[in-house]
Amino acid sequence: MIGGPHPMTPAPYRVRSRRPDRADTVTLTLEPVRGDCPPFRPGQFTMLYAPGVGEIAVSISGRARSGGYTQTIRAVGAVSAALCGKRPGDVVGVRGPYGRGWDVPAAAGLDVVVVAGGLGLAPLRPLVRALLRERPRHGRISVIAGSRAPGLLLYPQDLARWARQGADVRVTVDHPGHTWRGPVGLVTRLLDRIVFEPRRTCAFVCGPEPMMRAAAAELVRRGVAPGRVELSLERNMKCAVTRCGHCQLGPLFVCEDGPVLRYDRAAGLLEVREL
Ligand SMILES: Cc1cc2nc3c(=O)[nH]c(=O)nc-3n(C[C@H](O)[C@H](O)[C@H](O)COP(=O)(O)OP(=O)(O)OC[C@H]3O[C@@H](n4cnc5c(N)ncnc54)[C@H](O)[C@@H]3O)c2cc1C
């Protein structure tokens, strides 16, 4: 085709593997039917198309050894449920990667605080992997993960590996049940337990918006510069190429200017509720 395929046309990708993470959440490994997976930066997302159902934005949670993307999807509606139901061998559509990812180079020489709530750990996973690959370039690396219940914690094996690789990994849950002996409550409370030098720290935060607002405000209250706190916004997205306006937030298009935004730019915009 002259000029290449239309930007809205998904490429066919085959499901190579499917790992159930929780009752409503699966991680798919997706490989292009033809050619190689384009490179991605931590924090970027693709548009995943479930044939005959629809298309949603999904963060890239990693690159598999086979070269494919891993993407973690929670079944909350028609499209996400259809994607969660895909099996190895099935074909889905993929556009992207899109968006501005985490500013990994900005973390060089600084302490790093990563704060995740629930599925927010998915776009942070490739970031933590990148930071730990270049461990000597950074100061202390702390990862705080919040989960509704111990059994709902995402990527427990990664969290354990990151701790072995030198990160200070802390987990808190909302509902501890009978067996949990760890911290209970908001992720912000764990900021007391980790060690970081606020004026020499950058932070990466992803999760439900109330959690991101609280975590970012608390980091800034403790002296982290607002320009060194990054958040990933999951606003309604349709075209992902700034044409439809669904994800417009004040002067920004989340699909292109985000989803990762610095807190000094995002703070006021977070007050804008999604319709
Ligand atoms: C940049 C970006 C990255 C994203 N990354 C991921 C990801 O890695 N994994 C993932 O599963 N989703 C991710 N999402 C959300 C995803 O794009 C869809 O919005 C979500 O899966 C719902 O789509 P749906 O069509 O299945 O449900 P819809 O039909 O849109 O919604 C069904 C119901 O679920 C509610 N709902 C919608 N979204 C959510 C949500 N995120 N959590 C809880 N309830 C919701 C709606 O209010 C509605 O009541 C991301 C979104 C963006 C913009």
Side-chain angles (χ1 to χ4, degrees):
M1 188 187 300
I2 296 171
H6 189 275
M8 298 294 287
T9 305
Y13 275 55
R14 203 175 303 283
V15 177
R16 182 183 169 100
S17 65
R18 175 186 190 273
R19 184 190 70 205
D21 291 307
R22 310 186 294 212
D24 60 356
T25 307
V26 305
T27 295
L28 300 179
T29 300
L30 301 172
E31 292 175 357
V33 170
R34 287 176 291 278
D36 296 325
C37 258
F40 75 95
R41 292 189 299 282
Q44 285 193 300
F45 65 95
T46 66
M47 295 302 290
L48 293 189
Y49 172 62
V53 187
E55 194 181 41
I56 55 170
V58 177
S59 306
I60 301 175
S61 58
R63 191 181 273 286
R65 280 203 188 88
S66 63
Y69 297 141
T70 61
Q71 303 201 254
T72 303
I73 306 151
R74 181 151 69 105
V76 294
V79 185
S80 49
L83 289 166
C84 284
K86 294 296 174 195
R87 304 277 153 184
D90 288 346
V91 173
V92 299
V94 177
R95 293 191 288 126
Y98 293 120
R100 181 181 171 275
W102 307 107
D103 190 353
V104 185
L110 301 175
D111 288 343
V112 180
V113 178
V114 174
V115 186
L119 203 55
L121 197 52
L124 289 164
R125 182 170 175 261
L127 166 86
V128 176
R129 286 177 158 191
L131 293 170
L132 288 172
R133 265 198 304 273
E134 304 199 338
R135 181 79 193 78
R137 292 187 68 205
H138 307 289
R140 303 175 193 90
I141 298 176
S142 304
V143 178
I144 297 174
S147 171
R148 272 179 294 143
L152 299 179
L153 184 66
L154 210 54
Y155 314 136
Q157 288 169 351
D158 290 281
L159 292 166
R161 186 178 322 113
W162 298 341
R164 287 196 300 276
Q165 292 172 344
D168 183 1
V169 177
R170 308 282 176 144
V171 174
T172 181
V173 302
D174 296 331
H175 307 291
H178 298 300
T179 52
W180 179 254
R181 297 283 170 265
V184 176
L186 300 176
V187 284
T188 42
R189 290 175 60 186
L190 290 186
L191 290 173
D192 280 333
R193 307 229 186 148
I194 60 170
V195 179
F196 61 102
E197 172 53 52
R199 293 192 196 290
R200 298 191 60 259
T201 290
C202 67
F204 302 97
V205 183
C206 189
E209 282 196 13
M211 171 245 140
M212 289 201 288
R213 275 199 294 273
E218 184 57 23
L219 285 157
V220 170
R221 193 187 70 76
R222 287 166 187 253
V224 180
R228 283 192 177 151
V229 178
E230 295 196 344
L231 317 172
S232 182
L233 300 188
E234 292 195 0
R235 292 291 172 132
N236 265 335
M237 205 155 291
K238 288 283 177 227
C239 76
V241 289
T242 69
R243 300 212 177 150
C244 73
H246 270 86
C247 69
Q248 192 166 3
L249 192 57
L252 306 179
F253 287 92
V254 175
C255 64
E256 189 176 82
D257 301 307
V260 174
L261 293 172
R262 282 175 17 189
Y263 185 55
D264 53 354
R265 213 171 174 205
L269 299 172
L270 281 173
E271 305 305 324
V272 180
R273 296 276 184 265
E274 206 162 41
L275 296 175

